[in-house]
Amino acid sequence: MTPAKKQDQKISPVIALLTEIKEEHGPDFGKVHSFCEELHQGVSELGGSFYVFSLKGFSDEGVEGFYYDDDVDDWKKGSLPFPNVIYNRISSRRTEYSKGFKGFLNKLESRGICIFNHRFLSKWEIHEFLMKEEHLHPYIPETYLFTEPVLESMLNHHDELYIKPVHGSQGRQIIQLVKDDGLIHTSFSTVQPKELPPFSNVKNLARALSNKVAKQQYIIQQGIQLSELNGRRMDFRVLCHKNDQHFWKVTSIVARVSAEHYFVSNIARGGEVMRPAHTLSLIFGKEQARQQVALMKELALETAEAISQHAEGLTAELGIDIGIDIKGNLWLIEANSKPSKNFEERGTKIRPSTKAIIEHCYGLFES
């Protein structure tokens, strides 16, 4: 591994990113591959060292992983020193719940190695965290764990509902229910081989959904009449990161506009990223748009603080999804503890969110 450059004779940290690695045709870090190059660039500029490793590369003797060799402009495999700070980007919830991962965390603790965002947070966990903060209640849609009695009760009070997998991501396996003229219409966020017919009876609806919701836990959430742009649903992804002083800051905010005929705005489901102030000004006017963006940032920071206070381990990065209804009211849709790296444009410069992660790593190293 290339030695860290000296900067003002200070000891520089060794920072590592933990993820799954494929090695068939050279190292492949999946969806965070180009992001890892960006992290290497940023850490190197500050005089630190950076590498990528998988769980199987960690042992009592040291770490086998990949570091970027600027001389050949590519990743090289090597035996590497233990890191000072680890940024967890494992993409498998199953892996994080395994005995092997828990043993790995124990080894880190015994060696005094910091790890942040050490596991996925479920939608229900996050809801429970936020409900502990009374000042956030006006922004939280009515949400419960899915059962047939809850489904019936919620349909009596709301004309639109969303049924979401507790451990879901990227807008997958979400079911939309809409009441219209005494019938309940269902739509799915993923392509289904056969669409369900309208239902007049909740029991028949629950029976039809039973196969879809039996395999894992779901939540049922109040539907919000969100603002639309040319008939396309819209919400906002606010990226929040902790700085070197462990205070939250907003590093990015984008509007996500759904693909036509889709009710989810996720990029993985065909959604489009737009500038938030411009998008909101088309609906509410420039002055109200500026106010809403400022309020969204404030709400996102309060949400991030609440989650990090109640979640176990260190949380230093969150993607907060916020909706604005047709009256201009803000709603907390959900939060993601391992947000996608594909929202911000990547040019030659290091993105603010990447700088924030590096800054927090240095803060953990120095504290």
Side-chain angles (χ1 to χ4, degrees):
M1 186 173 182
T2 305
K5 299 171 187 175
K6 289 186 179 180
Q7 186 182 41
D8 298 329
Q9 302 301 313
K10 288 182 180 179
I11 299 173
S12 297
V14 177
I15 297 167
L17 181 142
L18 171 64
T19 191
E20 297 86 354
I21 302 174
K22 295 179 182 177
E23 298 185 47
E24 295 165 18
H25 307 289
D28 179 5
F29 311 141
K31 293 179 180 178
V32 295
H33 193 95
S34 62
F35 170 64
C36 288
E37 294 181 11
E38 194 178 354
L39 278 174
H40 158 74
Q41 180 187 345
V43 173
S44 297
E45 287 176 1
L46 291 174
S49 301
F50 173 78
Y51 65 80
V52 184
F53 75 105
S54 65
L55 272 181
K56 68 179 183 180
F58 189 94
S59 71
D60 291 331
E61 287 72 45
V63 184
E64 186 175 71
F66 291 88
Y67 65 95
Y68 200 85
D69 189 331
D70 290 307
D71 293 332
V72 297
D73 202 25
D74 204 357
W75 293 95
K76 277 189 174 181
K77 192 172 187 176
S79 296
L80 306 166
F82 288 110
N84 302 111
V85 180
I86 296 172
Y87 171 34
N88 178 21
R89 286 298 302 197
I90 284 179
S91 61
S92 166
R93 289 170 171 81
R94 182 174 295 177
T95 298
E96 290 185 340
Y97 280 104
S98 68
K99 288 182 180 178
F101 186 73
K102 289 173 183 174
F104 166 73
L105 292 179
N106 290 335
K107 287 180 181 179
L108 296 185
E109 187 176 2
S110 67
R111 290 185 174 273
I113 299 173
C114 295
I115 182 170
F116 64 92
N117 283 35
H118 80 270
R119 72 171 178 84
F120 282 99
L121 296 173
S122 75
K123 288 179 173 60
W124 183 246
E125 278 181 297
I126 288 172
H127 176 73
E128 289 189 305
F129 295 158
L130 298 182
M131 288 302 292
K132 292 177 181 179
E133 306 296 329
E134 196 169 338
H135 67 286
L136 293 177
H137 287 189
Y139 306 99
I140 302 173
E142 193 176 352
T143 306
Y144 302 98
L145 287 173
F146 180 90
T147 63
E148 186 176 332
V150 167
L151 173 64
E152 185 170 9
S153 174
M154 290 282 276
L155 280 169
N156 287 333
H157 291 92
H158 303 288
D159 292 330
E160 183 178 8
L161 297 174
Y162 289 92
I163 301 171
K164 303 178 180 181
V166 162
H167 297 290
S169 62
Q170 298 185 327
R172 289 188 290 252
Q173 297 178 295
I174 297 176
I175 305 166
Q176 179 196 45
L177 304 179
V178 177
K179 285 196 305 184
D180 184 39
D181 270 350
L183 295 174
I184 307 164
H185 300 266
T186 60
S187 299
F188 301 89
S189 63
T190 48
V191 177
Q192 299 291 317
K194 183 180 178 182
E195 291 292 332
L196 298 177
F199 293 89
S200 57
N201 183 290
V202 175
K203 289 194 179 297
N204 290 339
L205 168 64
R207 193 177 300 118
L209 294 178
S210 61
N211 289 336
K212 301 181 187 302
V213 300
K215 294 178 182 178
Q216 58 177 308
Q217 205 170 34
Y218 278 72
I219 59 168
I220 185 164
Q221 191 174 70
Q222 167 193 356
I224 307 298
Q225 197 171 358
L226 296 178
S227 299
E228 296 184 349
L229 186 65
N230 300 324
R232 297 161 65 191
R233 293 200 168 215
M234 177 176 64
D235 65 15
F236 300 83
R237 164 60 62 88
V238 186
L239 271 183
C240 297
H241 290 88
K242 274 186 179 176
N243 63 15
D244 58 343
Q245 301 297 314
H246 311 296
F247 294 116
W248 286 99
K249 65 179 181 179
V250 171
T251 53
S252 170
I253 177 169
V254 296
R256 303 186 305 178
V257 183
S258 69
E260 288 189 34
H261 311 302
Y262 272 72
F263 60 83
V264 293
S265 61
N266 302 73
I267 308 306
R269 307 266 78 82
E272 183 181 353
V273 170
M274 296 183 178
R275 287 178 296 158
H278 172 72
T279 309
L280 284 168
S281 66
L282 296 174
I283 302 169
F284 297 103
K286 287 185 178 180
E287 183 57 36
Q288 191 173 348
R290 279 194 294 268
Q291 293 174 2
Q292 286 169 324
V293 169
L295 288 171
M296 270 194 284
K297 290 180 179 179
E298 186 179 333
L299 178 58
L301 290 173
E302 291 181 5
T303 301
E305 181 62 30
I307 292 171
S308 64
Q309 279 184 1
H310 296 295
E312 62 179 324
L314 300 175
T315 303
E317 176 183 46
L318 289 164
I320 314 293
D321 294 341
I322 296 175
I324 298 180
D325 66 22
I326 56 174
K327 296 180 181 178
N329 300 313
L330 271 57
W331 293 90
L332 287 169
I333 306 300
E334 59 185 59
N336 191 325
S337 55
K338 295 192 185 178
S340 167
K341 300 299 175 185
N342 300 326
F343 288 104
E344 305 161 284
E345 289 185 15
R346 169 85 197 275
T348 55
K349 293 183 178 180
I350 298 172
R351 294 172 291 182
S353 61
T354 305
K355 286 183 179 178
I357 289 167
I358 297 169
E359 182 184 345
H360 185 65
C361 288
Y362 269 74
L364 289 173
F365 171 67
E366 292 167 358
S367 61

